[in-house]
Amino acid sequence: QKENRHSSEVWIKSCGYYQVVKGRRTESTHAVFQTRIPAFQGLEKHPLGGVMARYKKIDVRIWNDAKFNALSSDARLIFLFMLTAPQTTMVGAVPVDKHTVSRILKFDEIRYGIGYKQLSEYGMLEYDEAGIFWIKNFLKYNPPENPKVVISWSSLLDLFPECPLLIKVAKSVLKACET
């Protein structure tokens, strides 16, 4: 008989958690993990609802990208933070203000400003004073995996404050759905 090596494995996909039970993948809620799996006790809730994803995909080709390689170390760190931050959503919008990013990265205002300016000039990152960053090519490298994911995006966009940047994010979502 083949031994089931995956019986206690936990799969994390997007912002939802999945548990392998007797070889079958079953969707579980945060509450179930809180009570049944001690390692998940005390998990933080995402500020926009749901549980924060513990893993994010970053395309390894980022290290071959001419724009990324032309960035300063500070700009690269800001960009990698945006890609991996717990607040980063499935559409590449990051609901966090610039002061919080500076504090987390231990940057003073000038150091942060220089790094962000590079990212903005290269068309990689945009910020709105409403407290939202947008990673412009995020959906190019993280397309929707299935139609249900796209449906969840519409409810996600409703949780952001209305601002000009949100319109750009919404248009990028529509474009990603066309391809």
Side-chain angles (χ1 to χ4, degrees):
Q1 289 183 348
K2 188 176 177 182
E3 182 181 323
N4 187 353
R5 296 178 294 128
H6 304 290
S7 62
S8 63
E9 180 179 332
V10 174
W11 289 353
I12 301 171
K13 183 175 181 179
S14 299
C15 287
Y17 284 89
Y18 297 87
Q19 180 181 16
V20 178
V21 180
K22 296 181 184 172
R24 294 186 332 265
R25 225 168 84 170
T26 59
E27 191 168 309
S28 299
T29 64
H30 182 256
V32 171
F33 278 96
Q34 288 265 10
T35 57
R36 294 191 184 163
I37 301 177
F40 285 88
Q41 290 179 353
L43 259 180
E44 292 182 51
K45 289 283 230 170
H46 190 282
L48 296 176
V51 180
M52 292 187 288
R54 288 191 166 224
Y55 299 98
K56 306 278 178 145
K57 291 189 297 186
I58 300 178
D59 196 310
V60 295
R61 293 176 292 177
I62 194 169
W63 300 105
N64 297 328
D65 185 81
K67 285 182 187 178
F68 186 78
N69 284 320
L71 295 172
S72 67
S73 297
D74 289 344
R76 285 183 188 184
L77 184 59
I78 293 168
F79 192 70
L80 290 172
F81 171 77
M82 290 296 161
L83 289 174
T84 60
Q87 299 90 343
T88 303
T89 62
M90 295 183 288
V91 295
V94 188
V96 64
D97 66 78
K98 62 185 179 183
H99 304 292
T100 302
V101 174
S102 297
R103 183 180 48 77
I104 291 170
L105 297 177
K106 296 179 175 44
F107 284 3
D108 60 36
E109 210 172 296
I110 294 169
R111 188 175 172 192
Y112 164 81
I114 292 169
Y116 172 75
K117 184 178 178 189
Q118 276 189 315
L119 290 164
S120 179
E121 287 174 354
Y122 281 37
M124 298 171 73
L125 191 66
E126 209 170 314
Y127 179 70
D128 190 283
E129 290 297 327
I132 300 174
F133 283 92
W134 175 42
I135 306 165
K136 290 187 174 184
N137 280 339
F138 188 84
L139 291 175
K140 177 180 176 182
Y141 296 99
N142 299 281
E145 294 183 15
N146 61 57
K148 288 184 179 183
V149 172
V150 175
I151 292 168
S152 72
W153 287 355
S154 63
S155 62
L156 180 69
L157 291 175
D158 289 340
L159 299 172
F160 290 105
E162 289 183 19
C163 62
L165 185 57
L166 185 60
I167 294 168
K168 291 180 181 181
V169 173
K171 286 180 180 179
S172 77
V173 167
L174 290 173
K175 185 178 177 183
C177 293
E178 292 172 357
T179 56

